[in-house]
Amino acid sequence: MIMYQSYAFDLLGDDEFEHLVVDICRKILGPGTHEFTKGRDGARDSSFEGTAQCYPSTVKPWKGKIIIQAKHISTVNSSCSDKNFFENSSSIVNREIKRINNIKADTGESFDCYLMFTNRKLTGGIHPQIKKRLKEGLGIQYADIIGIEDLTAYVNEYNDLIRKYRLLRNFLPDRFFEEDIQKVILLFSNNKDWAQISPIKEDNFDYINKKEKNKLNNVSEDYFADIRDNSLKSFDIIDDFLKDPRNVKLLQYYINTVSDLRGYIFQNKDSYTFEDILESIIRNIAGEKPDDDIFRVRALVRVFVHYMYWNCDIGRKK
């Protein structure tokens, strides 16, 4: 597998990041790791109690009750060295120490270890300082922080998490030859009626077969609903356009594109979700230059790609 040095941790929501942390902890601590739950102070904590499977190592694993915290940030290139994370008296680390100590004082609960996860950069210089602050501030022997570097290492090791959390969404697959389908779409766009077509009634298509196709390709109900509600109404007129004898050359362009995309999808199916691949195809065809004719009709690009999927020209059918 390719060892990517950066994953889309910043694009995760806070809840998604917490689920990712729990999945990692269930691998390095044990399956008894609890989901994050909201405490009386409003913060969300996870925990594990017992002997860790392999953290920090199999030779000297942590033992006892381990409190787990997840500190997610949506900004790229944030660092644990940022003053608002560690240095200031009101920093995230210092606030966390105060919060945990207040819980201990209020409830009398105790714990043995503390583990914080963040998608910030964690340099070798600041790491031991944060560990020391956590251990001294919490009055415990074992505390640590896992930054984006170790998160990346864990995701590489437990690579089922890459697909589960769509962590490759920052990385687009290699491009394909999109000029053929661009010609088809641009000429089709001259038909002024394509966007004025009435919505299709639900009983006008085979729900069962489409649901099975969606399942085979892991296409979500929401994504399929977008195809059904916004693109389906144009499919009949695309059919007529491609079957018109006057457009035989354009039909060949379409067939060439479909052939290219089958290989493109097959090449990338293990690294990306099918929805990510479809969106990448749409972006590649539409381009990024506002002055280009194809970019001006990018809504139609989405319709054509959805048509390919609906028509079973691309995607698994069995």
Side-chain angles (χ1 to χ4, degrees):
M1 177 181 173
I2 298 174
M3 302 293 281
Y4 290 99
Q5 295 304 306
S6 177
Y7 292 107
F9 299 119
D10 57 298
L11 298 182
L12 297 175
D14 290 346
D15 288 345
E16 284 183 297
F17 187 72
E18 289 177 356
H19 291 315
L20 172 63
V21 168
V22 168
D23 278 344
I24 291 174
C25 286
R26 284 176 176 162
K27 296 175 185 294
I28 65 175
L29 301 180
T33 301
H34 296 291
E35 292 285 349
F36 280 83
T37 56
K38 184 178 291 188
R40 287 183 295 178
D41 61 345
R44 294 170 61 88
D45 298 296
S46 176
S47 64
F48 171 85
E49 193 160 4
T51 300
Q53 290 185 163
C54 57
Y55 190 84
S57 69
T58 54
V59 178
K60 292 184 178 181
W62 281 2
K63 298 178 181 180
K65 185 173 183 178
I66 303 171
I67 299 296
I68 304 160
Q69 257 289 308
K71 299 297 183 184
H72 177 255
I73 188 167
S74 58
T75 305
V76 181
N77 293 326
S78 295
S79 173
C80 293
S81 301
D82 294 340
K83 291 185 178 181
N84 65 347
F85 183 80
F86 177 60
E87 291 293 341
N88 295 340
S89 58
S90 60
S91 68
I92 290 173
V93 170
N94 287 323
R95 290 203 314 268
E96 181 64 13
I97 291 171
K98 183 178 180 180
R99 184 185 72 84
I100 294 291
N101 284 331
N102 286 339
I103 293 175
K104 289 168 62 178
D106 291 342
T107 65
E109 296 179 4
S110 62
F111 60 94
D112 305 283
C113 313
Y114 177 86
L115 186 58
M116 178 185 287
F117 286 79
T118 180
N119 60 316
R120 293 170 178 263
K121 295 179 181 179
L122 180 63
T123 64
I126 202 71
H127 188 187
Q129 296 181 48
I130 296 177
K131 283 178 62 175
K132 181 180 179 182
R133 177 78 59 83
L134 288 170
K135 288 191 287 187
E136 292 178 351
L138 297 173
I140 55 178
Q141 186 175 359
Y142 301 106
D144 206 350
I145 178 170
I146 290 175
I148 196 169
E149 298 82 5
D150 285 330
L151 271 179
T152 299
Y154 284 133
V155 165
N156 282 332
E157 182 174 359
Y158 309 116
N159 53 56
D160 57 305
L161 301 178
I162 298 172
R163 190 175 186 87
K164 181 175 181 179
Y165 292 98
R166 299 176 61 224
L167 295 174
L168 285 177
R169 65 186 89 172
N170 276 341
F171 298 91
L172 295 181
D174 292 333
R175 297 178 70 87
F176 56 91
F177 187 76
E178 60 267 17
E179 290 184 6
D180 281 348
I181 195 63
Q182 287 175 345
K183 295 173 185 175
V184 177
I185 294 171
L186 284 172
L187 285 172
F188 179 81
S189 69
N190 292 328
N191 186 328
K192 304 301 182 183
D193 297 328
W194 73 266
Q196 315 301 326
I197 303 168
S198 300
I200 297 292
K201 294 181 180 179
E202 290 188 358
D203 58 2
N204 284 6
F205 58 91
D206 190 340
Y207 238 142
I208 302 299
N209 289 344
K210 289 299 181 288
K211 282 188 175 181
E212 183 62 26
K213 181 177 172 66
N214 292 339
K215 185 176 180 181
L216 287 170
N217 292 283
N218 292 316
V219 171
S220 68
E221 291 184 8
D222 288 342
Y223 197 91
F224 177 70
D226 180 60
I227 296 176
R228 182 193 64 210
D229 297 341
N230 299 303
S231 298
L232 178 61
K233 61 186 179 182
S234 302
F235 291 172
D236 283 345
I237 195 170
I238 293 176
D239 263 336
D240 292 341
F241 176 80
L242 292 175
K243 292 174 182 177
D244 189 324
R246 293 172 297 179
N247 296 329
V248 62
K249 188 172 183 179
L250 296 178
L251 176 60
Q252 188 59 55
Y253 287 152
Y254 177 87
I255 293 170
N256 286 341
T257 298
V258 164
S259 177
D260 289 344
L261 291 182
R262 284 175 180 159
Y264 180 77
I265 291 168
F266 182 80
Q267 181 183 18
N268 293 288
K269 65 182 177 62
D270 293 331
S271 298
Y272 303 85
T273 68
F274 188 75
E275 290 177 16
D276 285 338
I277 294 174
L278 288 183
E279 289 302 303
S280 175
I281 290 169
I282 292 167
R283 286 192 294 270
N284 282 343
I285 295 173
E288 299 177 350
K289 298 179 180 179
D291 293 337
D292 286 351
D293 290 338
I294 193 67
F295 188 82
R296 295 192 184 102
V297 295
R298 60 189 181 279
L300 187 53
V301 172
R302 180 173 299 276
V303 171
F304 257 84
V305 174
H306 287 173
Y307 170 83
M308 292 177 185
Y309 173 71
W310 185 275
N311 206 41
C312 294
D313 292 326
I314 58 175
R316 292 182 59 190
K317 291 174 278 190
K318 59 183 180 178

